[in-house]
Amino acid sequence: MTGESTGAFAEDTAATRIDERRWAVDVSSRWGVLGGAPNGGYLTALAGRAVADAVPDHPDPATITTHYLAPAEPGPAEVEVDVLATGRRFSRVRATLRQSGRARLEVLAAFTDLAMHDGPDLGTGTPPALPPRQDCIDPGDIGDAPAPPIRERMDQRLPPHAWSWADAQAGADRTRSRTSVTDATDTTGRGAATPGVLPAWVRWTGGEEMTPLGLLVLCDALPPAVFTLGGPVGWVPTVELTVQVRRRPAPGWLRVAFTTRHVTGGLLEEDGEVWDARDRLVAVSRQLALAPRG
Amino acid sequence: MTGESTGAFAEDTAATRIDERRWAVDVSSRWGVLGGAPNGGYLTALAGRAVADAVPDHPDPATITTHYLAPAEPGPAEVEVDVLATGRRFSRVRATLRQSGRARLEVLAAFTDLAMHDGPDLGTGTPPALPPRQDCIDPGDIGDAPAPPIRERMDQRLPPHAWSWADAQAGADRTRSRTSVTDATDTTGRGAATPGVLPAWVRWTGGEEMTPLGLLVLCDALPPAVFTLGGPVGWVPTVELTVQVRRRPAPGWLRVAFTTRHVTGGLLEEDGEVWDARDRLVAVSRQLALAPRG
């Protein structure tokens, strides 16, 4: 089953088959980030919808890697899908999203049917430490303008300490901001600032159910975790994004945490975890990005 | 510069250009794992050598993702390389390794020249906690037979506690083994067992210098970290491997740590870090693998 629910995400990732290998999609302007460029996770989900249609027995991304080759723009696009190999568990696929004949992103993935995977949970992971939602901040409430279109699609609640970097971005007092990031404490004992870690509560607006393809957007939609390390604040372009989806999320708010441990030679990784309302891990992600230069 | 040094790794990854898009390589039997199949990181490095030859301005893998489509075997193979896009910093490439006309692995990568990347180090990462090398165990010294060919290529020193899972594998006393993993302590305070984490000292045998392409092998050559979680011990087949290389390693022993945090629905991730003798992070890796079923 593809199991996509209805709502803005389902509508804006619709894919229409053109022929054996090509799908028509429309890059919606509703998923733009600051500056108007479409969110990278949304573009990956667009390619993913075409793939899911190409391999209906395996509609879910078990692991999907995207390389961003050239900026995409709102408007029509075409996704070409190559099925490289199909087994019982996985279909291996390659996909290219093109606009005006030019490749904008290249995808390599293993799709599966998440419903067929079983086995006991094991491991040391726990859901992100976050203050209760009512103690967190809705970016829309603190005049963080101009709000990019994608924020109309997604409810976000960030811990109060997460916004200290915003002072730095405003050029206010970068030294003070650096200190506040590492010194911030939360009297509940949950959600104290950890340098390099940005946790948040997230869900779609409008009550739309979160789906495996929707998780691809979630893994690329928060402020960069590197901002919490106290260095320069600026553009953090994604070079490559890989998302492993483990489960279809339960309904309700999700908790995410993004972590950057190593900024070296102008490069950084950002690792993400997504947990659902039933305290189950539903996805992990990692991206390679260019470090901000201030 | 490609800067490959001489030695078994350099010899066994030689790639000869056939035409504009194809390279001939030979899958050596010297990099076999238990059972004789070639190591997955070695196969990725073979594809990487062809890519490095195809984009000589960008000879180093900044991020390389491999999907294993079908088992490869020792013997001749062909690598087909497609250059998708080239910019100042990165060449985006796709590569397919084939044997007897059948695709065995598919690669999507961004290659770069690591020497051109600069910028301050930032982050919270530290080298893996490991006992001194003389307190660690050479797998060859504990009769861990039959030793696969790849162990002749690589010196490994693992903390004593790391071998508790070997008892379980031998079917000795699985319950005792589970306990010993989590209870093991190291009186030096370094290298105490952490469930889900397998650290080690590693280097090539024969004095060969470690190179960026060699790191791809290192990220797939240790016993699975999931064995330290106390669950079943068995085959852990890699579905997809992504390695980000950050720097050319300094000469000397490297320290690695592999971590599995989340085993869910029969799937797991294994995250790797590689540090060089100058305490610098040189690579991070993540793979999606199937959990062992015992």
Side-chain angles (χ1 to χ4, degrees):
Chain A
M1 65 172 186
T2 58
E4 296 300 328
S5 64
T6 55
F9 178 74
E11 284 165 22
D12 291 347
T13 53
T16 307
R17 196 163 197 155
I18 301 170
D19 61 24
E20 196 59 33
R21 294 176 56 198
R22 292 180 308 144
W23 279 256
V25 296
D26 193 70
V27 178
S28 164
S29 60
R30 295 201 287 180
W31 300 83
V33 298
L34 275 181
N39 170 269
Y42 166 65
L43 294 168
T44 300
L46 272 174
R49 273 298 283 278
V51 170
D53 202 46
V55 291
D57 289 345
H58 293 145
D60 304 313
T63 174
I64 180 165
T65 295
T66 303
H67 279 248
Y68 298 94
L69 308 179
E73 306 152 5
E78 191 180 292
V79 180
E80 185 179 321
V81 178
D82 282 320
V83 180
L84 304 171
T86 295
R88 190 177 67 81
R89 278 199 184 89
F90 301 109
S91 289
R92 310 301 189 116
V93 293
R94 204 161 68 181
T96 309
L97 185 145
R98 291 190 181 85
Q99 287 186 302
S100 309
R102 185 179 180 196
R104 309 300 169 117
L105 51 150
E106 179 76 13
V107 168
L108 180 60
F111 270 56
T112 191
D113 179 355
L114 287 171
M116 78 163 63
H117 291 271
D118 57 10
D121 276 23
L122 197 68
T124 59
T126 53
L130 268 164
R133 261 195 314 285
Q134 64 271 22
D135 298 336
C136 287
I137 292 174
D138 178 340
D141 286 345
I142 59 166
D144 179 44
I150 192 172
R151 280 246 302 283
E152 298 295 313
R153 309 270 72 78
M154 191 183 293
D155 274 332
Q156 301 183 4
R157 298 287 186 280
L158 281 76
H161 61 69
W163 292 98
S164 53
W165 60 265
D167 302 340
Q169 193 170 36
D173 180 346
R174 196 163 288 184
T175 307
R176 181 179 58 79
S177 168
R178 277 185 197 164
T179 308
S180 67
V181 169
T182 47
D183 289 357
T185 51
D186 173 63
T187 52
T188 68
R190 292 175 294 178
T194 304
V197 182
L198 187 76
W201 297 92
V202 291
R203 66 175 182 185
W204 288 149
T205 52
E208 185 173 3
E209 185 190 336
M210 183 57 59
T211 58
L213 289 176
L215 294 171
L216 308 181
V217 184
L218 245 58
C219 288
D220 191 38
L222 274 286
V226 66
F227 292 175
T228 69
L229 283 171
V233 170
W235 193 38
V236 184
T238 303
V239 176
E240 171 257 315
L241 169 68
T242 298
V243 182
Q244 294 181 12
V245 178
R246 299 292 184 85
R247 285 190 175 100
R248 174 171 289 269
W253 284 89
L254 296 124
R255 280 156 298 169
V256 299
F258 294 92
T259 304
T260 293
R261 291 182 185 84
H262 315 286
V263 184
T264 67
L267 299 170
L268 61 83
E269 88 292 344
E270 183 174 276
D271 291 352
E273 290 186 6
V274 186
W275 295 73
D276 73 6
R278 290 171 55 191
D279 282 353
R280 303 180 313 172
L281 179 86
V282 294
V284 295
S285 67
R286 172 172 284 173
Q287 65 172 260
L288 175 67
L290 300 181
R293 295 187 174 265
Chain B
M1 66 172 188
T2 60
E4 296 299 330
S5 64
T6 56
F9 178 74
E11 284 165 21
D12 291 347
T13 54
T16 307
R17 195 163 198 155
I18 301 171
D19 61 24
E20 196 58 33
R21 293 177 56 196
R22 293 180 307 143
W23 279 256
V25 296
D26 194 70
V27 179
S28 164
S29 61
R30 296 201 287 181
W31 301 82
V33 298
L34 276 181
N39 170 267
Y42 165 65
L43 293 169
T44 301
L46 272 174
R49 272 298 282 278
V51 170
D53 202 47
V55 291
D57 289 345
H58 294 145
D60 305 313
T63 174
I64 180 166
T65 295
T66 303
H67 280 248
Y68 298 94
L69 307 179
E73 305 151 7
E78 190 178 292
V79 180
E80 185 178 320
V81 178
D82 281 319
V83 180
L84 303 171
T86 294
R88 190 179 67 83
R89 280 197 183 90
F90 301 109
S91 289
R92 309 301 187 116
V93 294
R94 204 162 66 180
T96 310
L97 185 144
R98 291 192 180 85
Q99 287 186 303
S100 308
R102 184 179 181 197
R104 311 298 170 119
L105 52 149
E106 178 76 12
V107 168
L108 180 60
F111 270 55
T112 191
D113 179 355
L114 288 171
M116 77 162 63
H117 291 272
D118 58 10
D121 276 23
L122 197 68
T124 58
T126 53
L130 269 165
R133 264 196 309 285
Q134 63 271 22
D135 298 337
C136 287
I137 291 174
D138 179 341
D141 286 344
I142 59 166
D144 178 44
I150 192 172
R151 281 246 300 283
E152 297 295 314
R153 308 271 72 78
M154 191 183 294
D155 275 333
Q156 301 182 4
R157 299 286 186 280
L158 282 76
H161 61 69
W163 292 98
S164 54
W165 61 264
D167 303 340
Q169 192 169 36
D173 180 344
R174 198 162 286 187
T175 307
R176 181 177 59 81
S177 168
R178 275 186 199 164
T179 309
S180 67
V181 168
T182 46
D183 289 356
T185 51
D186 172 63
T187 51
T188 67
R190 292 175 294 178
T194 304
V197 182
L198 186 77
W201 297 92
V202 291
R203 66 173 182 187
W204 289 149
T205 52
E208 185 172 3
E209 185 189 336
M210 184 57 59
T211 57
L213 288 176
L215 294 171
L216 308 182
V217 184
L218 245 59
C219 288
D220 190 39
L222 275 284
V226 67
F227 292 176
T228 69
L229 282 173
V233 170
W235 192 38
V236 184
T238 303
V239 176
E240 171 259 315
L241 169 67
T242 297
V243 182
Q244 294 181 12
V245 178
R246 299 293 184 85
R247 284 191 176 99
R248 172 170 290 268
W253 284 88
L254 296 124
R255 281 157 297 168
V256 299
F258 295 92
T259 304
T260 293
R261 290 182 186 84
H262 315 285
V263 185
T264 67
L267 300 171
L268 61 84
E269 88 293 343
E270 182 175 275
D271 291 351
E273 290 187 6
V274 187
W275 294 73
D276 74 6
R278 289 171 57 191
D279 282 352
R280 302 180 315 171
L281 178 87
V282 294
V284 295
S285 67
R286 171 172 284 173
Q287 64 172 261
L288 175 68
L290 299 182
R293 293 186 174 265

